[in-house]
Amino acid sequence: MDEPRYGYGKGERPLWSSRDRDAEAVRRVLRGAGFRDVGERHLDGFAVEGASGDGPEPFYVSYCGYPKKPGTIGRYVQALRRAGFEVEPDMKLEDVLVVQRQPAGLVLNAPRSGRALLPAAVVCAVLATVALLASWMGTGQVRLAGGIGSAVLGVLAAFLAGLWYRRELDERSRGEQAI
């Protein structure tokens, strides 16, 4: 059996044509920005349509789910524009974006999502608190390990929270520039 020319996308989706590859690039950018595909496991998320054939026609990106989440399409626009895609709203259909197919040489830089930073910072802060309590209640090596663990995890929590805050500020400034 022949292998797909451009390999496989997420979920082992075969990428037979350059158009399939480019549609997967749009999906990768949106996933990298913290969004998820609509599918059997998720009844809300984005869908990229128009990936059949190999012509220059644009792709259509929409949010699928109920109830509609305000601002989701705007966040899709920001993520795709940052990655270098030419994006515009569809004039006929509400909540649908038209994404122009990119030149073959375009290297897509999907922005990393900062969504995982804040939960990680919270987990580190909770663990630092537990270690601090262990150092107060324990004796000997438990006290020493708790004190060191508390300090290390506390610093890590502050660092992750700072990274998250910095990315939030960057996101807001990019959003204001796009408008």
Side-chain angles (χ1 to χ4, degrees), residues 8-112:
Y8 294 91
K10 184 178 179 188
E12 296 302 311
R13 177 186 308 213
L15 307 175
W16 295 103
S17 68
S18 61
R19 188 161 183 83
D20 294 337
R21 176 202 60 207
D22 294 348
E24 185 62 22
V26 171
R27 291 182 192 99
R28 224 180 11 250
V29 166
L30 292 173
R31 285 186 212 115
F35 301 107
R36 62 182 178 201
D37 302 66
V38 68
E40 291 178 12
R41 293 205 274 168
H42 303 291
L43 298 179
D44 66 332
F46 67 84
V48 177
E49 300 297 328
S52 61
D54 204 19
E57 296 82 16
F59 298 109
Y60 297 92
V61 176
S62 62
Y63 170 76
C64 303
Y66 183 80
K68 296 289 184 191
K69 294 181 181 174
T72 301
I73 291 292
R75 290 190 296 276
Y76 289 175
V77 169
Q78 288 176 359
L80 291 166
R81 284 186 179 158
R82 267 184 299 192
F85 282 97
E86 186 180 322
V87 182
E88 60 192 54
D90 187 312
M91 296 307 201
K92 298 174 194 164
L93 300 170
E94 185 180 339
D95 293 333
V96 175
L97 300 174
V98 178
V99 181
Q100 297 302 320
R101 189 159 179 208
Q102 302 301 305
L106 178 68
V107 176
L108 298 175
N109 297 317
R112 293 181 181 239

Side-chain angles (χ1 to χ4, degrees), residues 91-158:
M91 296 307 201
K92 298 174 194 164
L93 300 170
E94 185 180 339
D95 293 333
V96 175
L97 300 174
V98 178
V99 181
Q100 297 302 320
R101 189 159 179 208
Q102 302 301 305
L106 178 68
V107 176
L108 298 175
N109 297 317
R112 293 181 181 239
S113 172
R115 290 183 182 198
L117 291 173
L118 188 58
V122 170
V123 167
C124 287
V126 168
L127 290 174
T129 303
V130 170
L132 183 62
L133 290 173
S135 74
W136 288 346
M137 297 171 155
T139 59
Q141 289 187 351
V142 170
R143 186 176 197 138
L144 178 64
I148 292 171
S150 167
V152 169
L153 289 167
V155 168
L156 184 58

